[in-house]
Amino acid sequence: EPEVTQTPSHQVTQMGQEVILRCVPISNHLYFYWYRQILGQKVEFLVSFYNNEISEKSEIFDDQFSVERPDGSNFTLKIRSTKLEDSAMYFCASRQGGEQYFGPGTRLTVT
Amino acid sequence: GQQLNQSPQSMFIQEGEDVSMNCTSSSIFNTWLWYKQDPGEGPVLLIALYKAGELTSNGRLTAQFGITRKDSFLNISASIPSDVGIYFCAGQSVSGNTPLVFGKGTRLSVIA
């Protein structure tokens, strides 16, 4: 069964460093999303992406964040200068019809 | 922004018991989704609902899209130990590419 994959599973970085989180959405899906989940809290929307451009973004998705689909399979989230409060699980999702399927997540720890 | 109120926050039940949890909103949703999340993993889609009044089952799970379009419930029958996890409701307010709004989750513990 096709699934969303994400790498790395865990990323530790120092405050101020840039990180790139990678996702491979399900191959025939056209809509892509990034969400984050701070430990013990609910899942929060960051950004949606369709047709090679951002469709919608939340207040969390400020100028430090960017997304890219560099080729036909990868979908990346970049955080330019990480802050301690960026520590969270980051989930990629892709959509077919009304159903969003989530990847296993990348745990980002900023020290 | 839109908020989903999910209850209960946590439940401790005996194996074999039935479970019910629900989500309510002050605004209308066009789609309700129920996910299960195990520790350290991503949410796994359990059931998707698209129509007011719709009742859908997936094995021992049954979910309904409320008539008012402002609520949904999930029932689990005859719970088993592997049902342990956090269950999230998620709503989408319009068709298209609008993002999901998630509830805060119901943490289910099953005592064998």
Side-chain angles (χ1 to χ4, degrees):
Chain A
E1 187 175 319
E3 57 184 18
V4 177
T5 60
Q6 290 184 243
T7 54
S9 57
H10 191 188
Q11 174 92 46
V12 181
T13 189
Q14 288 193 326
M15 196 167 53
Q17 296 294 306
E18 174 183 287
V19 294
I20 297 177
L21 310 183
R22 301 179 194 280
C23 169
V24 178
I26 295 173
S27 62
N28 62 338
H29 289 188
L30 299 178
Y31 300 88
F32 313 120
Y33 306 83
W34 283 100
Y35 293 82
R36 80 168 187 193
Q37 184 181 34
I38 294 171
L39 184 64
Q41 298 187 21
K42 67 178 181 180
V43 177
E44 298 175 291
F45 168 73
L46 291 177
V47 65
S48 58
F49 192 86
Y50 170 72
N51 201 25
N52 283 320
E53 60 183 25
I54 291 174
S55 304
E56 192 166 341
K57 57 185 181 179
S58 71
E59 294 175 351
I60 304 168
F61 194 88
D62 62 22
D63 291 344
Q64 294 298 316
F65 290 86
S66 62
V67 289
E68 196 176 35
R69 187 154 164 83
D71 53 44
S73 59
N74 290 284
F75 179 50
T76 62
L77 174 69
K78 181 193 291 185
I79 309 175
R80 288 191 187 83
S81 178
T82 50
K83 304 186 286 284
L84 293 176
E85 54 264 37
D86 293 329
S87 296
M89 284 288 286
Y90 288 81
F91 294 108
C92 173
S94 66
R95 181 167 72 87
Q96 173 78 341
E99 300 174 5
Q100 286 191 31
Y101 295 90
F102 284 74
T106 293
R107 179 175 297 282
L108 177 64
T109 302
V110 183
T111 62
Chain B
Q2 291 175 310
Q3 300 272 349
L4 287 183
N5 299 309
Q6 186 171 351
S7 64
Q9 188 175 359
S10 63
M11 303 180 75
F12 289 83
I13 60 167
Q14 294 278 348
E15 183 178 357
E17 287 184 354
D18 297 343
V19 172
S20 185
M21 59 192 80
N22 69 85
C23 268
T24 60
S25 170
S26 58
S27 53
I28 289 171
F29 285 97
N30 283 357
T31 303
W32 284 95
L33 304 172
W34 283 93
Y35 289 88
K36 182 188 178 211
Q37 186 178 30
D38 291 329
E41 298 184 15
V44 174
L45 182 64
L46 299 174
I47 292 180
L49 302 160
Y50 300 105
K51 191 175 168 183
E54 180 182 353
L55 185 71
T56 297
S57 293
N58 178 7
R60 292 178 297 105
L61 278 60
T62 302
Q64 184 159 28
F65 193 139
I67 291 291
T68 65
R69 294 165 63 194
K70 294 182 179 180
D71 63 317
S72 177
F73 72 75
L74 174 71
N75 286 343
I76 306 173
S77 63
S79 58
I80 59 177
S82 61
D83 290 334
V84 165
I86 302 177
Y87 292 80
F88 289 98
C89 62
Q92 186 175 40
S93 59
V94 297
S95 305
N97 205 20
T98 51
L100 293 178
V101 176
F102 277 80
K104 292 186 177 180
T106 295
R107 182 180 296 274
L108 179 64
S109 300
V110 179
I111 304 165

